[in-house]
Amino acid sequence: MIRYVLAFVVSLSAIFGSYPRAKAAESAFKVAGLPMACTDFRGRSVVSLQVSQLGDVGRAWVVNTVPYILLDPELMRPLPKTLQVFFYLHECAHHVLGHWYNPTGSSENDADCWAIKQGRERAILRRQDVVNFEPWLAKSGGSAFGHLPGPLRLKQMLACFDGAVETAQQH
Ligand SMILES: [Zn+2]
């Protein structure tokens, strides 16, 4: 009888066991091995996905009011772990600061600043980690969508780390 009940329990968990596991895997999105979560300015959970051939390391996106962070796994992989986390936080910042609905001329700088401060507050980023971004950011020459050229961008990020620059909104 005990054997029979056990077999029944085992088959039940075989049927239903996969669902909670899939759910748990979904909620624990990881960047460079660290669990990451993001909530937008409306208090909605941001869905994070890995998308190949994205055309950029990361993007903040909204589809039918659902906020997304898209990250290109191939472009992320060669980067230092701290820079991978920074890029995730940068995309999260666009959602936290509501840039999808209300973009400003300083959206990119504000997202950088928010990401740096978050990284510092969560003890993920040390000042030296940000300094070490230099060769990676130097490769980027600024862009039409508002990123400063690498050296200037790094200077501004360090100023944010040091608390000298206030972001447009504090959350
Ligand atoms: Zn951005």
Side-chain angles (χ1 to χ4, degrees):
M1 183 62 187
I2 285 172
R3 197 171 294 165
Y4 176 77
V5 169
L6 269 180
F8 180 70
V9 169
V10 167
S11 61
L12 260 189
S13 59
I15 294 165
F16 295 107
S18 59
Y19 178 68
R21 267 201 298 276
K23 196 95 172 123
E26 226 174 65
S27 60
F29 185 83
K30 286 185 180 173
V31 177
L34 291 169
M36 289 286 149
C38 181
T39 305
D40 81 357
F41 69 103
R42 302 164 298 179
R44 291 190 68 152
S45 285
V46 177
V47 181
S48 301
L49 297 172
Q50 299 207 326
V51 178
S52 295
Q53 310 288 320
L54 192 58
D56 204 347
V57 176
R59 280 176 195 230
W61 212 255
V62 174
V63 180
N64 293 331
T65 76
V66 179
Y68 289 90
I69 290 174
L70 310 177
L71 297 173
D72 186 315
E74 282 79 34
L75 294 180
M76 283 286 261
R77 203 168 297 126
L79 305 177
K81 289 183 173 187
T82 48
L83 187 56
Q84 293 182 35
V85 170
F86 167 75
F87 280 136
Y88 175 88
L89 292 173
H90 173 101
E91 302 309 332
C92 177
H94 284 310
H95 290 301
V96 169
L97 301 174
H99 290 156
W100 181 270
Y101 299 94
N102 207 358
T104 70
S106 64
S107 288
E108 293 309 327
N109 293 336
D110 291 345
D112 276 353
C113 206
W114 187 91
I116 288 291
K117 288 182 174 186
Q118 275 291 307
R120 185 189 62 187
E121 279 165 27
R122 295 195 210 170
I124 297 170
L125 291 180
R126 296 165 304 157
R127 196 178 194 280
Q128 188 58 41
D129 295 322
V130 182
V131 171
N132 293 346
F133 292 169
E134 198 273 330
W136 303 92
L137 294 177
K139 289 177 191 165
S140 103
S143 72
F145 48 93
H147 286 299
L148 294 167
L152 259 181
R153 191 179 177 190
L154 185 75
K155 203 176 159 198
Q156 142 113 10
M157 283 159 60
L158 286 171
C160 291
F161 192 96
D162 297 335
V165 178
E166 290 303 316
T167 47
Q169 295 173 44
Q170 297 290 328
H171 288 261

